[in-house]
Amino acid sequence: MIIFKQKSKIILPMFLAISFVVPIANAAPVLLGIGNLPGTGSDLSGLTGTLESGTSANLLGGMGSGFAYAGNNTFLALPDRGPNALAYAGGSTVDNTTSYISRFHTISLSYSAGTTLPLTVTTALNSTTLLSSTTPLNYASGAAPSLNTATINYFSGRSDNFAAGNSLNPNNGRLDPEGIRVSNDGKSIFISDEYGPYVYQFDRQTGERIKSFTLPDNLAAANLSSSGASEISGNATGRVANKGMEGLAISPDGTTLFGFMQSPLLQDGGDGGRANRIVSIDIVTGATHEFAYDNQIGAKNYNSSEILAINNHEFLVLERDGKGLGDGSKAAIKQLWKVDLNGATDISGISGEANLLANQGHPDKSLFLDIRALLNANGITDANIPAKLEGAAFGDDVIVGAETYHTLILANDNDFSAIAGDNQFFVIGFKDADLGGSIFLPQAVAAIPEPETYAMLLAGLGLLGFMVRRRKLSSL
């Protein structure tokens, strides 16, 4: 039996021993607190049994590949394609991926009222929702999820779940979710992935796919393989294997998605190149546009992990190295950059790094936050900064003493590996002045709490009484 919602919850308070830097009003973003959810427990999917690697099918694992605000201090947290860090017999041909069913988790984050920092961040896992299609999907022989029915076909992380054709075939059963956002009415979600890249719309309550967006052909890999290395060597154009559409934003007016490729396309220089692409998608018409993004910091090019809308044309982009906790090294670059696409050149018909950079038009970038420096200043060493900070979302405004802060939450992916630590949620406070003149227009999502969460929400009113509702401004 498949359980999409479960009345029980996992509630884990996080009490911090870190001494935080005392904020100065309007000086710069500040670290308000850190929450966590250990990935060693079970999720609330109701799944039983084990995967090909022997890992439990309901292992909570990592959930920070994508992170989205869902109203009422509720967030959606996204695992990627599941456990594949553990080698198993016969797994080398599929990069050790498994039949892990794609899913998202609904969690809540609440903060203790107080006049000093850090705030105690309490996290609760409320439900787990599996992702499926009502139409048949393409699977490798013997790799179809055993829970499939005549009308429910589940997406999974196995890299061999595809049919002939290029990588944009929406009937392929493989999915590597990396970005997630919620529709303004709160009823559906949008997810981007790396295998296609794909951008799908799902019903938030059932997890069933309700729409597939047709992405530009220049993003497609023509020759597919269950081995990422073989897929890279077998193509000269399209997305780099395992570096597809890593980030996803939604405009605050709810009309447009912005998908961010993790690395440049093969025809634009490939992994290690300088010119990434941001793809805008009109949610109603499906019309797309492409914009170039210069990912260079100093003299080095960095892959991009997330994109988050400040307003309808300005965004925060998360650039990072792969160093830190989980990599056995020390973090060096973890930064958020502000970029404005207003007046940017559509480069859909252009290819090649030099050509993209010469035609990017308006989108110059400016540093919004050096995440590493902020965490260092609050006693977190480079070795303990998660290597894979990947998810970002704005939360509700909070009051600390006499100060009101907007909140930004950063989440990490740990690839289901215990050595990469817990799922951590870094709650950062900032003011309008920190945006350098940009108008902050956060998305207003209609809160639709699950019926079983009402009791918890009512009980939590004492904790949440100090919070203020996020501002609702007219569209730009």
Side-chain angles (χ1 to χ4, degrees):
M1 179 178 180
I2 302 160
I3 302 175
F4 289 102
K5 299 191 169 50
Q6 187 144 331
K7 293 186 178 181
S8 62
K9 298 177 179 64
I10 299 174
I11 302 177
L12 295 170
M14 174 66 175
F15 300 101
L16 300 174
I18 300 173
S19 178
F20 283 9
V21 174
V22 177
I24 301 174
N26 295 319
V30 298
L31 184 60
L32 300 177
I34 307 173
N36 83 340
L37 275 172
T40 53
S42 301
D43 64 22
L44 299 178
S45 64
L47 296 173
T48 60
T50 58
L51 303 171
E52 292 90 334
S53 60
T55 303
S56 297
N58 65 350
L59 176 67
L60 183 60
M63 59 168 65
S65 286
F67 196 63
Y69 177 76
N72 267 2
N73 218 31
T74 298
F75 298 85
L76 305 186
L78 187 70
D80 54 23
R81 59 182 175 174
N84 69 311
L86 179 65
Y88 64 90
S92 59
T93 60
V94 292
D95 289 340
N96 293 312
T97 55
T98 65
S99 296
Y100 175 85
I101 295 178
S102 304
R103 65 200 72 182
F104 68 89
H105 306 293
T106 300
I107 71 171
S108 59
L109 291 176
S110 61
Y111 318 100
S112 61
T115 58
T116 59
L117 299 182
L119 302 179
T120 298
V121 181
T122 302
T123 60
L125 174 62
N126 299 333
S127 65
T128 299
T129 305
L130 305 180
L131 300 177
S132 65
S133 168
T134 56
T135 57
L137 298 174
N138 299 316
Y139 304 104
S141 177
S146 60
L147 293 177
N148 280 4
T149 68
T151 57
I152 300 177
N153 304 273
Y154 291 99
F155 293 95
S156 90
R158 274 196 54 142
S159 62
D160 56 352
N161 285 338
F162 63 86
N166 72 27
S167 64
L168 298 183
N169 184 349
N171 294 321
N172 287 340
R174 65 181 189 176
L175 192 69
D176 187 358
E178 294 291 349
I180 184 170
R181 297 298 168 198
V182 183
S183 61
N184 282 19
D185 65 7
K187 296 179 181 179
S188 64
I189 63 170
F190 305 95
I191 288 179
S192 65
D193 114 303
E194 293 196 306
Y195 276 133
Y198 304 115
V199 177
Y200 296 147
Q201 184 175 10
F202 294 90
D203 183 282
R204 181 176 163 191
Q205 297 296 316
T206 65
E208 292 179 358
R209 183 175 63 180
I210 55 180
K211 187 173 184 178
S212 300
F213 293 95
T214 301
L215 298 184
D217 288 340
N218 60 353
L219 306 182
N223 302 302
L224 305 187
S225 172
S226 60
S227 164
S230 297
E231 198 166 87
I232 292 173
S233 63
N235 291 280
T237 61
R239 58 102 179 100
V240 174
N242 300 323
K243 298 193 186 293
M245 197 163 280
E246 181 78 11
L248 188 67
I250 186 170
S251 59
D253 63 14
T255 65
T256 312
L257 298 171
F258 295 85
F260 206 172
M261 303 302 289
Q262 184 175 11
S263 83
L265 303 179
L266 291 167
Q267 63 267 35
D268 298 332
D271 195 23
R274 181 175 170 179
N276 285 13
R277 290 180 186 245
I278 298 173
V279 182
S280 70
I281 308 167
D282 185 293
I283 292 174
V284 173
T285 69
T288 63
H289 301 279
E290 299 177 52
F291 309 99
Y293 176 80
D294 186 348
N295 63 30
Q296 189 171 81
I297 300 175
K300 189 172 181 180
N301 306 327
Y302 289 89
N303 286 335
S304 305
S305 288
E306 186 59 287
I307 182 169
L308 178 63
I310 298 171
N311 51 52
N312 289 329
H313 61 88
E314 291 182 286
F315 304 85
L316 295 181
V317 170
L318 175 59
E319 293 190 55
R320 63 169 179 83
D321 56 19
K323 300 183 181 299
L325 184 63
D327 181 62
S329 58
K330 296 182 178 180
I333 296 291
K334 315 286 182 189
Q335 297 178 351
L336 282 165
W337 290 80
K338 188 177 72 169
V339 61
D340 187 354
L341 294 184
N342 191 30
T345 303
D346 187 337
I347 48 87
S348 298
I350 301 173
S351 63
E353 180 178 291
N355 293 330
L356 263 59
L357 295 176
N359 287 279
Q360 61 178 330
H362 185 276
D364 296 327
K365 64 181 185 181
S366 58
L367 183 64
F368 168 72
L369 176 64
D370 187 326
I371 302 166
R372 172 187 172 236
L374 177 64
L375 298 183
N376 285 168
N378 287 279
I380 302 172
T381 65
D382 291 337
N384 287 309
I385 296 174
K388 300 184 72 174
L389 288 173
E390 293 189 359
F394 294 121
D396 293 305
D397 289 355
V398 299
I399 297 173
V400 182
E403 300 293 335
T404 299
Y405 292 98
H406 305 307
T407 59
L408 167 68
I409 299 95
L410 299 177
N412 68 295
D413 179 26
N414 62 18
D415 284 338
F416 291 75
S417 175
I419 63 171
D422 295 338
N423 298 291
Q424 297 189 71
F425 306 96
F426 298 90
V427 183
I428 296 165
F430 67 98
K431 305 288 187 71
D432 286 337
D434 297 321
L435 289 171
S438 298
I439 296 176
F440 182 49
L441 180 66
Q443 182 191 18
V445 177
I448 306 178
E450 301 162 84
E452 61 268 21
T453 67
Y454 279 118
M456 185 185 74
L457 290 172
L458 291 173
L461 287 177
L463 282 178
L464 303 179
F466 77 103
M467 300 185 65
V468 295
R469 299 178 67 183
R470 56 166 54 195
R471 299 182 306 166
K472 297 180 180 179
L473 305 178
S474 59
S475 298
L476 295 182

